[in-house]
Amino acid sequence: MSAGDSDGVVDADVAVIEGGTLPSARVPLDRERILTTAVQFIDEHGLLDLTMRRLGAVLGVEAMSLYRYVPGREELLDGIVDTIVGEMYDDENVIEAPQDGWPDFLQRLAHGVRRIALAHPVAFPLVASRPPEAPWLRPPLRNLHWVESFLTGLIDEGFSDKAAVAAYRAFTSFLLGHLLLEVSSLGADVGPLDVLESGENESEDLADYPVVKRLSGALAEDHSAVEFEESLESLLDRIALLRQTAD
Amino acid sequence: MSAGDSDGVVDADVAVIEGGTLPSARVPLDRERILTTAVQFIDEHGLLDLTMRRLGAVLGVEAMSLYRYVPGREELLDGIVDTIVGEMYDDENVIEAPQDGWPDFLQRLAHGVRRIALAHPVAFPLVASRPPEAPWLRPPLRNLHWVESFLTGLIDEGFSDKAAVAAYRAFTSFLLGHLLLEVSSLGADVGPLDVLESGENESEDLADYPVVKRLSGALAEDHSAVEFEESLESLLDRIALLRQTAD
DNA sequence: ACCTGAACACCGTTCAAGT
DNA sequence: ACCTGAACACCGTTCAAGT
């Protein structure tokens, strides 16, 4: 944190104007700037602090101005989800269609989603928990483009329609469960419960649960990365069986 | 819904007094009554409508009275999670320790969690997404009692400490992913986005995604129950391998 | 002992008005 | 065209006061 931009100080007046028309004029709002700023704000301050009024302030504007670009707070949150998931377009390791077989294709897609989860640990629960608008937009793969790629890729690789759909379901619920638990173990999450009061509290609570107490060290260890790889491998094995299933 | 208790009408005055001391006196508040009422309220009206003031009104009391029993809204939500997860104590099909082998034990536990998820489809995302307080309370198994049972049960059945912990991780992330997607497909969720505007909107949106469009029928089909069974079976196979792994 | 009234510092959202 | 001031109907929370 440098001294200039810390702690919510609004320095929109100092913002570099890209078009370069009116040097000292305030750069006008637009939807994309609102959304990227909101994502950044959540990652820094948490979801609970994201308020129309505060987001406006960060953008150097009154809250009411936001309503010209986004219909309300709920739609703002939906836009944030789109923005985050959309980041996967920039990931060169995620490909549009299988090149080295469908397992490689799904591996890349899974790792792409994991990367955006780890890049936005605080905002990711939003991707996971906003109500899906349709059964073909299951979290965390909430992007029609990638769902289309997923299904097309598998069908081109010999999956039946039914098998491709079943694979989509298994793939998404695997990613959702694993990644939600992985980012939540990273600490940040909804709710300002940052009261990790250490001391005798812990040992006292666990007195009635001797096995949990004995294994608490092991339970606290983070093996997310290898568990992700192994579970993904096992999922791909399971999907391989789906592929061979007759309709 | 009978005519008397519908639609948020407060009839606390008519409440039956169990102790039977003062017949016409208002039955006093207590933490449990607050929490069970809150769970019911969420299931009926959604999380967004649950407000300290409204919850108070349902209980026939001003919002400020709640603070005598719960420190604030965040802690109210934590209490709601405890209440919901605690319902599994009443489930006779969930057992404390393996009787017919660990796979049967875990099957019962998994189905118990699924039952509470389906019983509270609107409130369940809260169980899934509240920030865990410790690494041994991974959603959705956020109850020290059941975590203790889980670990003890597996260790008694021949799992090493490490294998039991690994099984705990795999088991919870499976349940979280599957159940969160299952209840969210049931419609209700956070956010008042009940704008399922039918019409040409859908087909228009899907014009650029022909495969999704072609499979949209199949994608909308609900096979949650059989998918749960099959995925659980596969998970148990995976856990069986863990059991045989040397430390 | 238990609940409330009044108050404070916030929210999201609207709309007529400013520039 | 874009933003704002003022207002409305709410929030969570505190605290002295009522019974």
Side-chain angles (χ1 to χ4, degrees):
Chain A
M1 297 270 171
S2 70
D5 61 10
S6 67
D7 217 343
V9 172
V10 182
D11 42 12
D13 293 331
V14 201
V16 179
I17 297 178
E18 293 136 310
T21 35
L22 297 174
S24 68
R26 194 160 284 182
V27 39
L29 233 42
D30 64 273
R31 195 164 198 276
E32 189 180 328
R33 196 154 65 90
I34 291 175
L35 291 176
T36 56
T37 306
V39 170
Q40 197 179 335
F41 187 94
I42 293 178
D43 283 333
E44 283 172 20
H45 302 91
L47 181 58
L48 259 62
D49 282 357
L50 181 75
T51 244
M52 298 299 278
R53 294 172 123 109
R54 281 213 262 262
L55 179 57
V58 171
L59 289 159
V61 114
E62 300 296 320
M64 312 85 197
S65 311
L66 302 176
Y67 287 85
R68 190 162 290 271
Y69 304 93
V70 65
R73 188 176 194 266
E74 291 299 315
E75 293 81 1
L76 174 69
L77 297 181
D78 289 337
I80 289 169
V81 169
D82 288 344
T83 301
I84 292 174
V85 176
E87 284 182 17
M88 219 162 49
Y89 289 126
D90 304 328
D91 191 331
E92 296 165 349
N93 293 305
V94 180
I95 55 183
E96 294 287 331
Q99 292 172 0
D100 298 307
W102 63 264
D104 169 77
F105 173 63
L106 294 192
Q107 286 259 14
R108 289 168 178 274
L109 191 54
H111 282 106
V113 177
R114 181 163 183 262
R115 252 173 250 126
I116 64 175
L118 296 180
H120 303 285
V122 189
F124 185 74
L126 215 51
V127 178
S129 65
R130 290 249 94 201
E133 298 145 33
W136 46 82
L137 283 175
R138 290 162 64 100
L141 210 66
R142 318 184 66 155
N143 180 303
L144 272 172
H145 179 89
W146 292 113
V147 176
E148 179 79 8
S149 292
F150 183 104
L151 296 171
T152 307
L154 293 206
I155 290 168
D156 287 350
E157 292 277 319
F159 283 68
S160 70
D161 286 1
K162 251 178 85 174
V165 169
Y168 171 63
R169 292 211 180 92
F171 187 76
T172 45
S173 68
F174 158 71
L175 284 180
L176 184 64
H178 186 97
L179 295 181
L180 210 47
L181 278 167
E182 183 167 1
V183 303
S184 82
S185 81
L186 258 59
D189 221 332
V190 54
L193 304 183
D194 25 87
V195 280
L196 25 144
E197 54 224 40
S198 48
E200 58 171 322
N201 197 0
E202 169 180 320
S203 35
E204 197 136 9
D205 281 342
L206 294 183
D208 292 334
Y209 308 99
V211 178
V212 175
K213 186 174 180 181
R214 181 165 65 79
L215 298 184
S216 62
L219 285 160
E221 286 174 24
D222 180 19
H223 300 308
S224 305
V226 299
E227 280 164 20
F228 185 79
E229 302 306 335
E230 288 171 5
S231 304
L232 178 55
E233 205 62 57
S234 155
L235 174 74
L236 295 180
D237 289 347
R238 214 149 72 73
I239 290 179
L241 295 180
L242 280 177
R243 184 164 172 273
Q244 293 166 336
T245 299
D247 270 353
Chain B
M1 294 282 161
S2 70
D5 61 12
S6 66
D7 217 343
V9 172
V10 183
D11 43 13
D13 293 332
V14 201
V16 178
I17 297 179
E18 292 137 310
T21 35
L22 295 174
S24 69
R26 193 160 285 181
V27 39
L29 233 43
D30 64 272
R31 193 162 198 278
E32 189 179 330
R33 196 154 65 91
I34 291 175
L35 291 176
T36 56
T37 306
V39 170
Q40 197 180 335
F41 187 94
I42 293 178
D43 282 333
E44 283 172 20
H45 302 90
L47 180 58
L48 259 62
D49 283 355
L50 180 74
T51 245
M52 297 299 279
R53 294 171 121 109
R54 280 213 263 261
L55 180 57
V58 172
L59 289 159
V61 112
E62 299 297 321
M64 313 84 198
S65 311
L66 302 176
Y67 287 85
R68 189 163 290 272
Y69 305 93
V70 65
R73 189 176 194 264
E74 291 298 315
E75 293 81 1
L76 174 69
L77 296 180
D78 289 336
I80 289 169
V81 169
D82 288 345
T83 301
I84 291 174
V85 176
E87 285 182 17
M88 219 162 49
Y89 290 125
D90 305 328
D91 191 331
E92 296 163 351
N93 293 305
V94 179
I95 54 182
E96 295 287 333
Q99 292 173 0
D100 298 308
W102 63 265
D104 169 76
F105 174 62
L106 294 192
Q107 287 258 14
R108 289 168 179 272
L109 191 54
H111 282 106
V113 177
R114 180 164 183 261
R115 252 173 249 126
I116 64 174
L118 296 179
H120 303 285
V122 189
F124 184 75
L126 216 49
V127 178
S129 65
R130 289 250 94 201
E133 297 144 33
W136 46 83
L137 283 174
R138 290 163 65 100
L141 210 64
R142 318 184 67 155
N143 181 302
L144 272 172
H145 179 90
W146 291 113
V147 176
E148 180 80 8
S149 292
F150 184 103
L151 296 170
T152 308
L154 293 207
I155 290 169
D156 287 351
E157 292 277 320
F159 283 67
S160 69
D161 287 0
K162 252 178 84 173
V165 169
Y168 170 62
R169 291 211 181 92
F171 187 77
T172 45
S173 69
F174 159 72
L175 284 180
L176 183 64
H178 186 96
L179 295 181
L180 209 47
L181 277 166
E182 183 166 3
V183 303
S184 83
S185 83
L186 257 60
D189 220 332
V190 53
L193 304 182
D194 25 90
V195 281
L196 25 143
E197 55 223 37
S198 48
E200 58 171 323
N201 197 0
E202 170 180 320
S203 37
E204 196 136 10
D205 282 340
L206 294 183
D208 292 334
Y209 308 99
V211 178
V212 175
K213 184 172 181 180
R214 181 165 64 80
L215 298 184
S216 62
L219 286 160
E221 286 173 24
D222 181 18
H223 300 307
S224 304
V226 299
E227 280 163 19
F228 185 79
E229 302 306 335
E230 288 171 3
S231 304
L232 178 55
E233 205 61 60
S234 155
L235 174 73
L236 295 181
D237 289 347
R238 215 148 72 73
I239 290 180
L241 295 179
L242 280 177
R243 183 164 173 273
Q244 295 166 334
T245 299
D247 270 353

